[in-house]
Amino acid sequence: MNRTLTARAPALGRALLFLGLLALCACAPRIELPRHDEAAADLAAFRERFVTPGPAGQGVAVRASLLYSTPTKANRTDVQLFGDYERPLRLDVRAGLGTMLALMREDQSGLLAFYPNDKRAYAHSDPVIGAQLLGLPFPFALRDLALVLAGHFGTLVPDQPARVRAIPGGGFAFSYDSGTVRLLVLDQYGRPERMEGLLSQHFKAQVERDGQAVSGPRVWGLAFSGYPEDDGDPVGPAKTLTLTLPKGDSAVLRVRSVTVHEEPWTTKALTLTLPANAEFISLERQAAPAQVREVITGGGDNER
């Protein structure tokens, strides 16, 4: 009996050690970042981490899921954003079952989007206007989105705020009189907690597409959460971006992976070749039909 217990002891010890390691991993402590009680120090910490270093590498590949919700519908898609920070950039949108819904390319000449099911391609010289006419909810260019997902805010946030106010619980809100971002809220560690800006007239919320008017300022808000250090991981960009839009529309982008590309992407990898039978439509002359916009912003069969 004693010999049996002795033989089992090493195996039992290894099992207990393994379970202990699992428990430690499951309860990883939060990484304690320096806290800032003054607005200037908080803003400086933000710029030191999210602006001054610049993005790593030449480009990026991001895999994420996008859940777009309206007051009556919800639509989930898988997205891949990849390319060079200086462009071109590609965005591929798939349904949950893997069906390709849209392929987009942003470069110096604007935005090109192809919808395989309709065999139609759309283009606009302004990538922001083009994307919003197609229903893409983010209120800035794919280049800005790629940089933000890589943890760099230098193309969006102005240098000096016009006004500053303290936030209950720690952190500060910085207001700007011009630019894409009109409000930047930083937590007490200098991390972006929320951004706000004015939504252009080109993007229409679901109620607007249904014929209802939206009174007052058309404001978008983008909240950041899921910073890796909160789970004991190395410092990195936020993993969840939650976009709020007028009249109950919202979008949640959950990042699955961000891969830095040290070298520029090849031309072939970022090319979007249209089939010979594709119909080409200029968005500067004609708006996209509703069914195209609903591919991303709440159409389909995923009713609530």
Side-chain angles (χ1 to χ4, degrees), residues 46-183:
F46 161 74
R47 298 193 65 81
E48 182 179 350
R49 176 174 171 183
F50 295 99
V51 177
T52 304
Q58 299 294 316
V60 72
V62 179
R63 291 179 177 270
S65 65
L66 178 66
L67 174 64
Y68 192 96
S69 302
T70 74
T72 59
K73 299 177 181 179
N75 192 37
R76 185 185 299 275
T77 54
D78 293 326
V79 298
Q80 289 180 262
L81 176 61
F82 57 98
D84 298 330
Y85 297 124
E86 295 302 321
R87 295 181 285 204
L89 279 160
R90 285 284 312 276
L91 178 69
D92 292 352
V93 182
R94 289 179 170 84
L97 298 177
T99 303
M100 185 66 72
L101 300 177
L103 302 96
M104 301 184 181
R105 185 179 194 269
E106 178 181 297
D107 58 22
Q108 302 296 339
S109 62
L111 182 74
L112 174 66
F114 176 62
Y115 292 81
N117 288 343
D118 298 330
K119 293 185 173 57
R120 287 181 178 175
Y122 300 85
H124 199 289
S125 59
D126 186 313
V128 180
I129 294 176
Q132 292 185 358
L133 287 173
L134 291 169
L136 203 68
F138 286 95
F140 34 74
L142 293 182
R143 176 175 183 254
D144 297 317
L145 178 59
L147 287 166
V148 165
L149 292 175
H152 183 73
F153 289 70
T155 61
L156 286 176
V157 178
D159 290 334
Q160 295 298 325
R163 292 166 299 280
V164 181
R165 60 183 173 86
I167 300 298
F172 298 88
F174 302 87
S175 299
Y176 303 89
D177 291 332
S178 61
T180 302
V181 174
R182 299 301 179 90
L183 178 71

Side-chain angles (χ1 to χ4, degrees), residues 177-248:
D177 291 332
S178 61
T180 302
V181 174
R182 299 301 179 90
L183 178 71
L184 171 67
V185 178
L186 302 179
D187 66 12
Q188 57 192 339
Y189 307 107
R191 303 181 304 187
E193 193 172 274
R194 182 176 175 83
M195 298 192 308
E196 292 183 3
L198 300 178
L199 192 64
S200 83
Q201 61 180 340
H202 303 287
F203 181 82
K204 304 297 182 186
Q206 182 63 52
V207 295
E208 293 175 296
R209 299 206 301 272
D210 292 340
Q212 301 180 38
V214 174
S215 59
R218 305 177 75 251
V219 176
W220 59 266
L222 186 61
F224 300 88
S225 60
Y227 283 99
E229 60 264 31
D230 291 343
D231 295 324
D233 294 330
V235 171
K239 297 179 180 178
T240 303
L241 283 65
T242 303
L243 180 71
T244 54
L245 296 162
K247 293 297 183 180

Side-chain angles (χ1 to χ4, degrees), residues 264-283:
W265 286 72
T266 64
T267 301
K268 181 179 180 181
L270 302 181
T271 298
L272 176 52
T273 303
L274 302 179
N277 61 344
E279 179 185 2
F280 182 83
I281 298 172
S282 171
L283 291 172

Side-chain angles (χ1 to χ4, degrees), residues 1-10:
M1 183 68 176
N2 289 338
R3 282 197 295 269
T4 302
L5 289 175
T6 302
R8 289 180 177 175

Side-chain angles (χ1 to χ4, degrees), residues 9-41:
L12 180 61
R14 288 194 297 270
L16 290 175
L17 178 61
F18 178 70
L19 290 174
L21 290 174
L22 284 180
L24 287 175
C25 293
C27 304
R30 177 192 181 104
I31 295 176
E32 286 300 326
L33 300 173
R35 301 188 181 196
H36 305 285
D37 297 326
E38 301 293 333

